[in-house]
Amino acid sequence: MGIEHYIQQLLYRYNCVVVPDFGAFLTQMKSAVLLKSTNTFYPPSKRISFNEQLSSNDGLLVSYMANAENKSYEEMLKQTLDVAKAWRKQLHSGERLKISSIGELWLNREGKLQFQPSNEVNYLTSSYGLSSFVSPGVTREKLKEQVVELEEKIPFIITPEQRERTSFRPYLKYAAILLLALSTGMTAYRFYGETLLKKQLVLEEAQTLVSKNIQEATFFNSKPLELPELELNVTKKSKGNHHIIAGAFRIQENADKKVTQLRNKGYDATYLGVNSYGLHQVTYGSFENPEEALIFLKKVKRSESQDAWMLSTK
C-alpha cells in the first residue's frame, strides 16, 4: 500500500503525523457547523493542516509502516524518504500534489507551500458514522390571536350538564377546543346590553361550582331512579328572570324538601322547574333587576353557601 494509506490510518489516532524530510500533517478539533446559506449541518470533526517546518523523523509513521508490511525499519525509512523526495520534486516542477482523502499541496508565486485540506473523511472517531446533511428551512408562522376576538364576538356560555358523580371539568377543555376549531367557519353574533354582560361574568364563575351542585341529586336518596321519557310542560314559579340557584336535583321530592328547608330559614325559595337536562332546580330567590340579583348572590355566598350561582332566563 502507498504511504497515503498509512497516514490516513494514523490521523484517526494521532494529532500529528510526520513524513520525514517533507513535513507534518496536523489535526485539530472542530465543532459542529451549520451553513445557513444551504441549511447544511456538519458534525464535529478534525481539521487537517500542514506544517513543512516539522520534518524531523519521530519514528511514528516509519514504525507503523514497517510493522504493517512486516519489513525492517531501515527499509521502510528509505522507502518513505524516496516518496518525500518525489513529492518535493513534483511541487517544485509547478504541479499540484494531491494526497487522497487528506488534501492538496502546491507552491504559490512566492514559492510558499500551500495546503487545502480534503473534507472527504472525518478523522474524529467520536463522530464515526456521522455525515453532513441538508435540512429543509424552518419557517415559523405567527399564529393569529383569535381568542380575544372570539371572546368579544361570541360569549362563551356553558350550562350545567347531566353527569354521573364524576367531575365534568375535563370536558370544558374539549368544548373550548371545539369552539376554536369551528370559529373559522361560523358567523359571529354580538350580544348587546349590560344585562347580558353581567350574566356572562356570573355564569363563567358558576362553571367551577356546577359539578358539585349536580351531585346534590343524591343528597336525600343515593339510589338512582330510572324515569321514562316524558314531555313536561312546567310553569316556573318565579318573580323575575334572574334566579339565585340553590341546587339541582334528579328527584322532585328532594327539590321540594330543599324548598321547605330554605323557606324555614327565611328565604323566598321557589321550585323553578325542570331544566333541559331533566334536573329540578330550586332557587333562594328571583329578581327582575340583575344588579339586585348580584347583590343577593354575594350575600348568600357569605352567609349560606359558596355553591350558589345565578341563572338568567328570557
Side-chain angles (χ1 to χ4, degrees), residues 37-251:
S37 60
T38 59
N39 292 324
T40 305
F41 292 84
Y42 295 93
S45 61
K46 279 185 177 182
R47 183 177 181 84
I48 304 176
S49 60
F50 181 77
N51 190 337
E52 61 179 327
Q53 303 298 325
L54 301 176
S55 59
S56 299
N57 183 22
D58 61 357
L60 175 63
L61 177 61
V62 177
S63 299
Y64 184 77
M65 293 174 60
N67 183 63
E69 298 191 5
N70 196 23
K71 295 181 179 180
S72 65
Y73 180 87
E74 290 75 11
E75 185 178 357
M76 289 310 305
L77 176 59
K78 183 179 182 303
Q79 182 177 336
T80 303
L81 293 175
D82 290 341
V83 171
K85 183 179 179 181
W87 284 356
R88 289 196 306 272
K89 183 179 180 180
Q90 182 178 345
L91 290 172
H92 287 291
S93 65
E95 298 181 15
R96 288 177 174 257
L97 174 61
K98 295 183 179 180
I99 304 177
S100 177
S101 301
I102 296 177
E104 185 175 2
L105 292 156
W106 71 94
L107 293 176
N108 61 16
R109 294 180 180 180
E110 291 77 20
K112 301 293 184 180
L113 188 61
Q114 305 295 311
F115 175 72
Q116 177 63 44
S118 172
N119 295 322
E120 296 177 2
V121 178
N122 187 352
Y123 291 99
L124 184 62
T125 56
S126 60
S127 296
Y128 178 77
L130 298 178
S131 60
S132 61
F133 67 94
V134 178
S135 173
V138 178
T139 57
R140 294 179 174 84
E141 180 181 357
K142 185 176 181 181
L143 299 179
K144 297 180 180 179
E145 298 179 357
Q146 299 177 340
V147 176
V148 176
E149 181 181 355
L150 288 175
E151 289 180 351
E152 294 178 355
K153 294 182 178 180
I154 309 175
F156 186 46
I157 303 175
I158 300 178
T159 55
E161 298 184 22
Q162 182 180 10
R163 300 295 170 94
E164 298 290 340
R165 298 181 182 179
T166 58
S167 173
F168 72 96
R169 290 180 181 177
Y171 293 95
L172 293 178
K173 177 180 68 175
Y174 301 139
I177 296 174
L178 179 60
L179 178 63
L180 184 59
L182 296 176
S183 62
T184 57
M186 62 183 299
T187 304
Y189 293 92
R190 183 178 297 275
F191 292 83
Y192 297 94
E194 181 181 359
T195 301
L196 290 180
L197 178 59
K198 292 180 179 179
K199 171 185 174 181
Q200 162 74 13
L201 297 176
V202 174
L203 286 180
E204 287 180 355
E205 180 183 0
Q207 300 310 313
T208 58
L209 306 173
V210 173
S211 60
K212 189 173 181 180
N213 288 335
I214 294 178
Q215 291 178 357
E216 292 184 8
T218 58
F219 180 77
F220 295 102
N221 184 4
S222 60
K223 187 175 181 179
L225 178 63
E226 296 183 359
L227 297 176
E229 294 184 358
L230 296 177
E231 293 185 0
L232 299 178
N233 297 321
V234 179
T235 302
K236 298 183 179 179
K237 301 177 180 180
S238 61
K239 298 180 180 179
N241 294 330
H242 306 284
H243 316 285
I244 307 305
I245 302 300
F249 305 86
R250 292 194 183 97
I251 304 174

